[in-house]
Amino acid sequence: MIPLNPIRAAYVALMLGIVQAVTLLSAPAAHAQVEMNLRDADLRSFVEIVSEATGRNFVLDEGVRGTVTVLAPEDLSPADLYEVFLSVLELNRLTLVSGNGADRIVPINVARELSGDVPPGGLGDFQTRVIEVRHVPLSEIVEVVRPLLPAEAILTPLPRSNRLILSDRSKNHARIINLIERIDVPAERPIEMIRLRNANAGEVLDVIQSMGIVPDDAAVSVDTRSNAILVSGPDDLRQQLRTLAGRLDTQRNNISSRAIELNYADATELADVVLRAITNQSGDDTGQISPIRIVPEPKTNTLLITGPEERLGDIAEMVHFLDRRPSQVLVEAVIFEMSVDGFADLSAQFGLILNDAIIGGVELALEGRPSLTNLVSSVLNDTNGVGSPGNGGSIGVAAGNGSEGLVGLISAITQSNSTRLLSTPSIMTLNNEEAEIVVAQNVPFVTGSFSTVGTDAVPDNPFQTIERQDVGLTLTVTPQINADDTVKLAIDQEVSSLTNATASAGGEITARRALSTNVLVRDGNVIMLGGLLENGSGSVSQAVPGLSKLPVVGGLFRGKNSSKNQRVLLIMLRPRVVNSEKEARHLTRQLARQAKAASLAIAPDNDDTYPRTSQVGLPFDGADLNQPFDAGFVDDVAQQRNLPPLPNRLRFGEN
């Protein structure tokens, strides 16, 4: 017992005396009335009052502490006092655990660990009971009951036996059991649909009926449209049929094989795509072996598929969807280049000859004009016969005798070089497939040389390393057809040519124009990929200081030439999407007619004079492209030489 302060002890003693006096003066002890009016009394002292009034023995846990206030305007019987006592314990989170000779008062969170020594049922006793549920699922009962229990109560469901274990006060037990009895009533029997994915619902129903597991008050039927079993009956029957149907539904595993010939797609590439798609859909990326196998056969371009029979139809439909005729793209390019180089020069040269040697005069060494010294030397020495005064018009004068005199040379020249290049390469390729066309000369270029020198000056074992490169036109293109009738093109184009000039270090100089780009063009439209417009001019002047400024004769002491060049380069491209054989045939005939007309335009005229000019025109005119490729050649030769007629040509039939 916890000691009380003097005032509270006196108060409790007074109250005990009053209770005892009332008890002795009243009727028999069993029916004695107790006057109860406590304010902030010690809880342990209140337990003593209840023990003396009811005649019950209590053992207090060390955790039983606190104060209590009980206001009762009328006298209480021992039974009523005990009810008040139980309410006070509940408010202080305490409870009773029944025992032989004495009841234990403990905190409610400790009561679950203790067991009573007498059968449960006493008032205020903390008990553990098993409650059976017959009709409603346990989960629904627990969902309703658990919010009504105190935090210290324990509710444990047992799904296998369809029972609940409740540890709580006896009063709560009665309340909860009453609630469960009102909820646990038979309801309308539900109808459950068990869907089957592999097995046939009718065959599964035959198995169920043959086993005799369906009671008289239950019903099992089949829905053929959804391949499902309909069950109306108790939960245990529905659970049993679900388990049985699941086992029967996984036993069917008929493996079949099918060979699918491909028309357009590549078997090896398509097999990898389809297998990856099936693996992702079925979730077989967990390390398990997939029941579906797809083997490509390259020689016949065939897919060999092995898997469950019910999945082969979906796989075949996927393969046929991907094996579609691919679209083609005709890429037409136009490369136009024109250049003009002009040169003009007017020069006057003269010199004084003494003893067969020029001892003075005016000679201006400019590009493109003849040299007076070389011309006089060749004439005097007579080494090369008549000396050449160079290109253009020239006038020479001389005065004096053989080894002495005065010579002069006036020359004028105008030069113009023009070049026009028009290339129209065309190439057709499949969608997303790279294509390349090369029209060039394979030119050797010296990349190195080696020689060893022995005892004399003649090299020993000389050799050179040569690298061959294509000089001409190269077009590489990869088209991609989009859904909005546009074509994305990855283009690499190069145009190179020889310049007929040699570098100072040796070797031929080539002119190269290259382009690498990605463009987006609508079907049939023309796009310019690159352009160049160049216009240049220049002049070179030489003069004798002072004398070149004299009037009239000053022109004899100065010289000048000028040059001018212009260059135009345009590169254009047009893609055409070809979706059918009809479009391809139409484009082929159109290009054949254009090639026929171009070949006739550039062919030399045949005037029936010797030697005769052979006709080099294209043999196809676009009207009949299925004629033999030797048409107009073999039979014509045979007829001209009066040879026996050849057998009829094999003609290509229409597909």
Side-chain angles (χ1 to χ4, degrees), residues 349-648:
Q349 305 177 63
F350 61 91
L352 180 62
I353 300 176
L354 182 61
N355 295 327
D356 296 335
I358 297 177
I359 61 174
V362 175
E363 182 177 359
L364 302 177
L366 295 177
E367 182 182 359
R369 63 173 49 178
S371 173
L372 178 63
T373 304
N374 295 335
L375 181 60
V376 172
S377 297
S378 63
V379 173
L380 294 177
N381 297 328
D382 197 18
T383 55
N384 297 323
V386 179
S388 174
N391 297 329
S394 60
I395 298 175
V397 294
N401 53 18
S403 61
E404 297 177 357
L406 179 66
V407 295
L409 177 64
I410 299 176
S411 61
I413 185 174
T414 299
Q415 179 179 344
S416 178
N417 296 328
S418 62
T419 303
R420 183 178 181 273
L421 174 63
L422 177 63
S423 300
T424 58
S426 300
I427 188 170
M428 180 176 286
T429 181
L430 294 177
N431 186 25
N432 287 316
E433 294 290 340
E434 180 182 299
E436 182 181 32
I437 182 172
V438 178
V439 181
Q441 293 178 331
N442 196 253
V443 181
F445 293 92
V446 178
T447 58
S449 61
F450 177 79
S451 63
T452 58
V453 180
T455 56
D456 52 5
V458 180
D460 187 17
N461 298 326
F463 69 90
Q464 293 179 332
T465 57
I466 296 176
E467 179 182 358
R468 291 184 173 272
Q469 297 181 2
D470 292 335
V471 177
L473 173 66
T474 302
L475 174 63
T476 303
V477 60
T478 303
Q480 176 183 327
I481 304 174
N482 301 323
D484 58 348
D485 292 334
T486 59
V487 182
K488 179 182 178 182
L489 299 171
I491 304 169
D492 290 319
Q493 191 171 37
E494 178 180 338
V495 179
S496 58
S497 61
L498 299 175
T499 60
N500 297 324
T502 305
S504 59
E508 184 78 13
I509 297 177
T510 59
R512 177 174 178 266
R513 282 82 67 195
L515 181 145
S516 179
T517 184
N518 295 297
V519 295
L520 188 66
V521 192
R522 185 164 296 278
D523 178 23
N525 288 3
V526 178
I527 187 172
M528 188 174 71
L529 304 179
L532 172 66
L533 179 59
E534 181 181 356
N535 190 358
S537 61
S539 63
V540 179
S541 300
Q542 291 182 352
V544 177
L547 298 178
S548 60
K549 297 181 180 180
L550 294 176
V552 182
V553 296
L556 299 177
F557 298 94
R558 60 176 180 262
K560 177 182 178 182
N561 61 18
S562 62
S563 62
K564 182 177 182 180
N565 59 80
Q566 293 181 339
R567 186 181 302 271
V568 178
L569 173 63
L570 295 176
I571 301 176
M572 294 179 291
L573 185 141
R574 175 173 59 191
R576 292 187 181 180
V577 178
V578 182
N579 294 314
S580 63
E581 185 68 25
K582 181 179 180 181
E583 294 182 11
R585 190 183 304 111
H586 174 72
L587 286 176
T588 304
R589 290 176 177 175
Q590 180 180 356
L591 293 177
R593 294 190 189 100
Q594 296 176 359
K596 178 76 171 181
S599 62
L600 294 177
I602 63 176
D605 295 334
N606 187 6
D607 55 359
D608 294 333
T609 60
Y610 184 83
R612 294 188 177 184
T613 303
S614 301
Q615 295 295 329
V616 293
L618 186 71
F620 302 100
D621 57 359
D624 184 10
L625 297 178
N626 291 317
Q627 58 182 316
F629 291 157
D630 60 352
F633 173 73
V634 176
D635 283 359
D636 292 344
V637 174
Q639 292 175 3
Q640 291 175 3
R641 299 186 179 181
N642 296 323
L643 297 177
L646 296 177
N648 294 333

Side-chain angles (χ1 to χ4, degrees), residues 193-204 222-230 249 252:
M193 176 180 289
I194 304 175
R195 295 183 180 274
L196 304 178
R197 299 184 59 183
N198 300 314
N200 183 273
E203 298 177 358
V204 174
V222 171
D223 182 15
T224 56
R225 293 178 301 175
S226 59
N227 194 36
I229 298 177
L230 304 178
D249 195 30
R252 181 181 179 185

Side-chain angles (χ1 to χ4, degrees), residues 143-279:
E143 185 178 358
V144 174
V145 172
R146 191 178 296 278
L148 305 177
L149 297 176
E152 296 82 2
I154 300 177
L155 182 64
T156 304
L158 300 177
R160 294 185 178 180
S161 59
N162 209 37
R163 287 176 171 82
L164 293 174
I165 298 179
L166 176 63
S167 298
D168 199 1
R169 297 185 182 92
S170 57
K171 283 188 175 181
N172 283 343
H173 276 284
R175 179 169 60 93
I176 298 302
I177 291 175
N178 185 27
L179 177 62
I180 292 177
E181 288 178 353
R182 297 179 63 182
I183 296 176
D184 188 25
V185 295
E188 294 183 1
R189 185 166 296 174
I191 299 177
E192 182 176 352
M193 176 180 289
I194 304 175
R195 295 183 180 274
L196 304 178
R197 299 184 59 183
N198 300 314
N200 183 273
E203 298 177 358
V204 174
L205 178 61
D206 295 340
V207 175
I208 294 174
Q209 293 176 347
S210 63
M211 296 178 64
I213 59 177
V214 181
D216 296 336
D217 58 345
V220 181
S221 181
V222 171
D223 182 15
T224 56
R225 293 178 301 175
S226 59
N227 194 36
I229 298 177
L230 304 178
V231 182
S232 175
D235 290 342
D236 54 350
L237 174 64
R238 288 187 279 114
Q239 178 64 30
Q240 186 178 10
L241 293 184
R242 278 197 300 268
T243 304
L244 178 60
R247 293 179 179 178
L248 295 176
D249 195 30
T250 57
Q251 290 179 354
R252 181 181 179 185
N253 192 18
N254 297 329
I255 302 299
S256 301
S257 299
R258 184 180 298 184
I260 302 178
E261 296 182 355
L262 303 180
N263 296 322
Y264 307 104
D266 181 78
T268 304
E269 297 179 358
L270 188 59
D272 181 65
V273 172
V274 174
L275 189 59
R276 284 192 287 113
I278 295 174
T279 303

Side-chain angles (χ1 to χ4, degrees), residues 68-352:
V68 60
T69 299
V70 180
L71 302 177
E74 298 179 357
D75 296 340
L76 301 175
S77 65
D80 295 336
L81 178 61
Y82 191 74
E83 291 291 337
V84 174
F85 172 65
L86 295 179
S87 300
V88 171
L89 293 182
E90 186 174 357
L91 292 175
N92 287 272
R93 316 304 296 175
L94 302 173
T95 188
L96 289 177
V97 178
S98 301
N100 292 327
D103 297 334
R104 287 165 285 182
I105 302 177
V106 296
I108 195 170
N109 56 356
V110 180
R112 69 185 70 174
E113 303 173 0
L114 303 176
S115 60
D117 297 332
V118 296
L123 294 175
D125 193 9
F126 191 89
Q127 303 172 5
T128 299
R129 291 189 180 184
V130 178
I131 305 173
E132 183 178 3
V133 180
R134 298 182 178 180
H135 306 288
V136 182
L138 283 181
S139 59
E140 298 181 6
I141 297 294
V142 172
E143 185 178 358
V144 174
V145 172
R146 191 178 296 278
L148 305 177
L149 297 176
E152 296 82 2
I154 300 177
L155 182 64
T156 304
L158 300 177
R160 294 185 178 180
S161 59
N162 209 37
R163 287 176 171 82
L164 293 174
I165 298 179
L166 176 63
S167 298
D168 199 1
R169 297 185 182 92
S170 57
K171 283 188 175 181
N172 283 343
H173 276 284
R175 179 169 60 93
I176 298 302
I177 291 175
N178 185 27
L179 177 62
I180 292 177
E181 288 178 353
R182 297 179 63 182
I183 296 176
D184 188 25
V185 295
E188 294 183 1
R189 185 166 296 174
I191 299 177
E192 182 176 352
M193 176 180 289
I194 304 175
R195 295 183 180 274
L196 304 178
R197 299 184 59 183
N198 300 314
N200 183 273
E203 298 177 358
V204 174
L205 178 61
D206 295 340
V207 175
I208 294 174
Q209 293 176 347
S210 63
M211 296 178 64
I213 59 177
V214 181
D216 296 336
D217 58 345
V220 181
S221 181
V222 171
D223 182 15
T224 56
R225 293 178 301 175
S226 59
N227 194 36
I229 298 177
L230 304 178
V231 182
S232 175
D235 290 342
D236 54 350
L237 174 64
R238 288 187 279 114
Q239 178 64 30
Q240 186 178 10
L241 293 184
R242 278 197 300 268
T243 304
L244 178 60
R247 293 179 179 178
L248 295 176
D249 195 30
T250 57
Q251 290 179 354
R252 181 181 179 185
N253 192 18
N254 297 329
I255 302 299
S256 301
S257 299
R258 184 180 298 184
I260 302 178
E261 296 182 355
L262 303 180
N263 296 322
Y264 307 104
D266 181 78
T268 304
E269 297 179 358
L270 188 59
D272 181 65
V273 172
V274 174
L275 189 59
R276 284 192 287 113
I278 295 174
T279 303
N280 293 336
Q281 291 177 1
S282 59
D284 293 335
D285 53 352
T286 58
Q288 301 179 358
I289 299 177
S290 175
I292 301 175
R293 297 185 61 190
I294 302 178
V295 179
E297 205 289 309
K299 292 184 178 179
T300 59
N301 199 33
T302 304
L303 291 181
L304 306 178
I305 304 175
T306 302
E309 184 177 359
E310 61 274 8
R311 300 197 62 183
L312 290 183
D314 297 337
I315 298 175
E317 184 178 355
M318 184 184 303
V319 170
H320 291 315
F321 177 80
L322 296 175
D323 185 31
R324 294 184 296 178
R325 177 188 175 94
S327 298
Q328 302 180 90
V329 179
L330 174 63
V331 181
E332 300 174 303
V334 175
I335 304 172
F336 176 75
E337 182 177 5
M338 185 175 67
S339 61
V340 178
D341 296 329
F343 175 78
D345 180 38
L346 176 62
S347 64
Q349 305 177 63
F350 61 91
L352 180 62

